[in-house]
Amino acid sequence: MHFDIKCQSLISVLHGQTLARKVQWQKPADAPAGKGEDRSALRYEATYRQARFALYQQDGLQRNPSTGMDGSSMWFVLAILDEQDSEFWREVDSNGSVSRLYRLVQRRATPIDQIYAAIVDPVYEQLDREAAEYRRENSGWRASLRRFKRTFVARFMSVSSARA
């Protein structure tokens, strides 16, 4: 099998196993220095079937051939680590399978459920309470009587203002 096909198959399997929650990615307490990665970028590591993987973002400069100017771009790196945390294989891409894997891992590592429960749920609960109170006030025979009274007063006021 061609090497590029093997690389893509490996990334595809890691993506599928991460979706199935069989590969657990963690942020290491201290990311190793060096190796070219941007230390401000998030780095994730996982062990799967006796292989250790690192996944991170890396800023890269690339020359735009049409303008001749350098531009900054974000690259995503999947690396296999040895026992000394050195990368002995890495796959780099800017908008492909490694970036999709990185985004999946980032979504899984983000505590979005807790954030949602703390911020959004209270707002919707308050809206539900207000809607229930509104329905309670505007239903039944008393609400019908209030609507009739408002309609009657409005008609009476329009007739009396027309005569004046």
Tab-separated table of all heavy atoms in Angstrom, residues 79-102:
chain	number	residue	atom	x	y	z
A	79	ALA	N	1.250	13.734	15.081
A	79	ALA	CA	2.578	13.142	15.193
A	79	ALA	C	2.511	11.874	16.020
A	79	ALA	O	1.676	11.741	16.915
A	79	ALA	CB	3.542	14.124	15.845
A	80	ILE	N	3.397	10.945	15.702
A	80	ILE	CA	3.583	9.749	16.530
A	80	ILE	C	4.831	9.997	17.364
A	80	ILE	O	5.873	10.412	16.844
A	80	ILE	CB	3.740	8.476	15.674
A	80	ILE	CG1	2.471	8.251	14.846
A	80	ILE	CG2	4.004	7.270	16.567
A	80	ILE	CD1	2.560	7.057	13.902
A	81	LEU	N	4.717	9.763	18.672
A	81	LEU	CA	5.802	10.056	19.601
A	81	LEU	C	6.505	8.773	20.034
A	81	LEU	O	5.872	7.730	20.166
A	81	LEU	CB	5.250	10.762	20.844
A	81	LEU	CG	4.435	12.027	20.608
A	81	LEU	CD1	3.849	12.530	21.917
A	81	LEU	CD2	5.286	13.095	19.958
A	82	ASP	N	7.808	8.898	20.313
A	82	ASP	CA	8.530	7.765	20.886
A	82	ASP	C	8.571	7.913	22.403
A	82	ASP	O	7.913	8.789	22.966
A	82	ASP	CB	9.928	7.638	20.271
A	82	ASP	CG	10.799	8.850	20.539
A	82	ASP	OD1	10.416	9.716	21.358
A	82	ASP	OD2	11.885	8.934	19.930
A	83	GLU	N	9.370	7.092	23.082
A	83	GLU	CA	9.413	7.092	24.544
A	83	GLU	C	9.965	8.396	25.113
A	83	GLU	O	9.685	8.761	26.249
A	83	GLU	CB	10.257	5.915	25.066
A	83	GLU	CG	9.671	4.561	24.789
A	83	GLU	CD	9.961	4.083	23.364
A	83	GLU	OE1	10.970	4.526	22.745
A	83	GLU	OE2	9.162	3.284	22.853
A	84	GLN	N	10.787	9.121	24.344
A	84	GLN	CA	11.374	10.372	24.810
A	84	GLN	C	10.563	11.591	24.371
A	84	GLN	O	11.060	12.704	24.398
A	84	GLN	CB	12.814	10.516	24.285
A	84	GLN	CG	13.801	9.558	24.883
A	84	GLN	CD	13.738	8.185	24.222
A	84	GLN	OE1	13.396	8.057	23.050
A	84	GLN	NE2	14.055	7.152	24.983
A	85	ASP	N	9.331	11.396	23.965
A	85	ASP	CA	8.440	12.453	23.482
A	85	ASP	C	8.960	13.136	22.224
A	85	ASP	O	8.614	14.291	21.941
A	85	ASP	CB	8.179	13.518	24.558
A	85	ASP	CG	7.275	13.017	25.663
A	85	ASP	OD1	6.512	12.061	25.406
A	85	ASP	OD2	7.316	13.581	26.764
A	86	SER	N	9.782	12.463	21.460
A	86	SER	CA	10.250	12.997	20.184
A	86	SER	C	9.324	12.505	19.083
A	86	SER	O	8.827	11.378	19.123
A	86	SER	CB	11.672	12.527	19.881
A	86	SER	OG	12.552	13.004	20.862
A	87	GLU	N	9.111	13.356	18.103
A	87	GLU	CA	8.266	12.978	16.971
A	87	GLU	C	9.114	12.196	15.975
A	87	GLU	O	10.119	12.680	15.494
A	87	GLU	CB	7.692	14.216	16.302
A	87	GLU	CG	6.804	15.024	17.197
A	87	GLU	CD	6.313	16.302	16.530
A	87	GLU	OE1	6.660	16.551	15.350
A	87	GLU	OE2	5.588	17.048	17.188
A	88	PHE	N	8.690	10.987	15.667
A	88	PHE	CA	9.407	10.257	14.630
A	88	PHE	C	8.573	10.124	13.363
A	88	PHE	O	9.060	9.638	12.351
A	88	PHE	CB	9.921	8.894	15.120
A	88	PHE	CG	8.870	7.879	15.449
A	88	PHE	CD1	8.353	7.048	14.472
A	88	PHE	CD2	8.427	7.731	16.743
A	88	PHE	CE1	7.402	6.099	14.781
A	88	PHE	CE2	7.473	6.787	17.062
A	88	PHE	CZ	6.953	5.970	16.079
A	89	TRP	N	7.333	10.581	13.404
A	89	TRP	CA	6.487	10.677	12.205
A	89	TRP	C	5.497	11.795	12.441
A	89	TRP	O	5.013	12.003	13.547
A	89	TRP	CB	5.740	9.368	11.963
A	89	TRP	CG	4.758	9.443	10.828
A	89	TRP	CD1	5.030	9.235	9.509
A	89	TRP	CD2	3.362	9.747	10.912
A	89	TRP	NE1	3.896	9.396	8.765
A	89	TRP	CE2	2.839	9.717	9.601
A	89	TRP	CE3	2.495	10.074	11.947
A	89	TRP	CZ2	1.512	9.975	9.305
A	89	TRP	CZ3	1.168	10.334	11.662
A	89	TRP	CH2	0.691	10.280	10.356
A	90	ARG	N	5.208	12.547	11.389
A	90	ARG	CA	4.200	13.591	11.505
A	90	ARG	C	3.529	13.827	10.169
A	90	ARG	O	4.151	13.695	9.116
A	90	ARG	CB	4.780	14.867	12.079
A	90	ARG	CG	5.819	15.522	11.236
A	90	ARG	CD	6.522	16.649	11.946
A	90	ARG	NE	5.854	17.911	11.646
A	90	ARG	CZ	6.042	19.010	12.317
A	90	ARG	NH1	6.847	19.038	13.337
A	90	ARG	NH2	5.424	20.109	11.988
A	91	GLU	N	2.263	14.154	10.247
A	91	GLU	CA	1.466	14.507	9.076
A	91	GLU	C	0.973	15.924	9.307
A	91	GLU	O	0.418	16.233	10.368
A	91	GLU	CB	0.294	13.542	8.913
A	91	GLU	CG	-0.602	13.806	7.737
A	91	GLU	CD	0.052	13.524	6.375
A	91	GLU	OE1	1.071	12.815	6.321
A	91	GLU	OE2	-0.465	14.051	5.386
A	92	VAL	N	1.164	16.789	8.331
A	92	VAL	CA	0.812	18.188	8.449
A	92	VAL	C	-0.161	18.543	7.329
A	92	VAL	O	0.067	18.181	6.180
A	92	VAL	CB	2.065	19.090	8.331
A	92	VAL	CG1	1.710	20.555	8.459
A	92	VAL	CG2	3.106	18.690	9.349
A	93	ASP	N	-1.246	19.211	7.676
A	93	ASP	CA	-2.128	19.754	6.641
A	93	ASP	C	-2.814	21.005	7.159
A	93	ASP	O	-2.823	21.271	8.353
A	93	ASP	CB	-3.133	18.719	6.143
A	93	ASP	CG	-4.269	18.450	7.112
A	93	ASP	OD1	-4.219	18.891	8.273
A	93	ASP	OD2	-5.209	17.784	6.709
A	94	SER	N	-3.371	21.778	6.249
A	94	SER	CA	-4.005	23.029	6.653
A	94	SER	C	-5.521	22.943	6.628
A	94	SER	O	-6.184	23.643	7.372
A	94	SER	CB	-3.542	24.169	5.744
A	94	SER	OG	-3.945	23.899	4.418
A	95	ASN	N	-6.082	22.124	5.782
A	95	ASN	CA	-7.532	22.078	5.689
A	95	ASN	C	-7.971	20.701	5.197
A	95	ASN	O	-8.655	20.580	4.203
A	95	ASN	CB	-8.041	23.171	4.750
A	95	ASN	CG	-9.505	23.433	4.943
A	95	ASN	OD1	-10.082	23.024	5.940
A	95	ASN	ND2	-10.112	24.101	3.993
A	96	GLY	N	-7.578	19.680	5.914
A	96	GLY	CA	-7.904	18.336	5.488
A	96	GLY	C	-8.260	17.447	6.649
A	96	GLY	O	-8.882	17.872	7.621
A	97	SER	N	-7.849	16.206	6.561
A	97	SER	CA	-8.257	15.216	7.551
A	97	SER	C	-7.663	15.471	8.937
A	97	SER	O	-8.321	15.223	9.950
A	97	SER	CB	-7.897	13.816	7.065
A	97	SER	OG	-6.531	13.754	6.744
A	98	VAL	N	-6.452	15.982	9.014
A	98	VAL	CA	-5.860	16.262	10.329
A	98	VAL	C	-6.584	17.431	10.995
A	98	VAL	O	-6.845	17.402	12.204
A	98	VAL	CB	-4.341	16.538	10.223
A	98	VAL	CG1	-3.752	16.884	11.579
A	98	VAL	CG2	-3.614	15.336	9.641
A	99	SER	N	-6.956	18.437	10.224
A	99	SER	CA	-7.699	19.559	10.818
A	99	SER	C	-9.081	19.114	11.283
A	99	SER	O	-9.555	19.567	12.332
A	99	SER	CB	-7.812	20.715	9.824
A	99	SER	OG	-8.606	20.362	8.722
A	100	ARG	N	-9.732	18.204	10.563
A	100	ARG	CA	-11.022	17.680	11.018
A	100	ARG	C	-10.861	16.881	12.309
A	100	ARG	O	-11.677	16.994	13.220
A	100	ARG	CB	-11.674	16.833	9.925
A	100	ARG	CG	-12.274	17.665	8.809
A	100	ARG	CD	-13.110	16.835	7.868
A	100	ARG	NE	-12.347	15.837	7.145
A	100	ARG	CZ	-11.668	16.070	6.026
A	100	ARG	NH1	-11.671	17.277	5.501
A	100	ARG	NH2	-10.998	15.118	5.430
A	101	LEU	N	-9.802	16.087	12.399
A	101	LEU	CA	-9.529	15.341	13.622
A	101	LEU	C	-9.259	16.305	14.780
A	101	LEU	O	-9.781	16.123	15.881
A	101	LEU	CB	-8.336	14.403	13.425
A	101	LEU	CG	-7.879	13.616	14.652
A	101	LEU	CD1	-8.983	12.693	15.147
A	101	LEU	CD2	-6.619	12.819	14.328
A	102	TYR	N	-8.490	17.350	14.531
A	102	TYR	CA	-8.184	18.327	15.577
A	102	TYR	C	-9.459	18.994	16.085
A	102	TYR	O	-9.662	19.138	17.291
A	102	TYR	CB	-7.204	19.386	15.048
A	102	TYR	CG	-6.796	20.376	16.104
A	102	TYR	CD1	-5.744	20.106	16.966
A	102	TYR	CD2	-7.471	21.577	16.255
A	102	TYR	CE1	-5.368	21.010	17.945
A	102	TYR	CE2	-7.107	22.484	17.227
A	102	TYR	CZ	-6.052	22.197	18.070
A	102	TYR	OH	-5.696	23.090	19.043
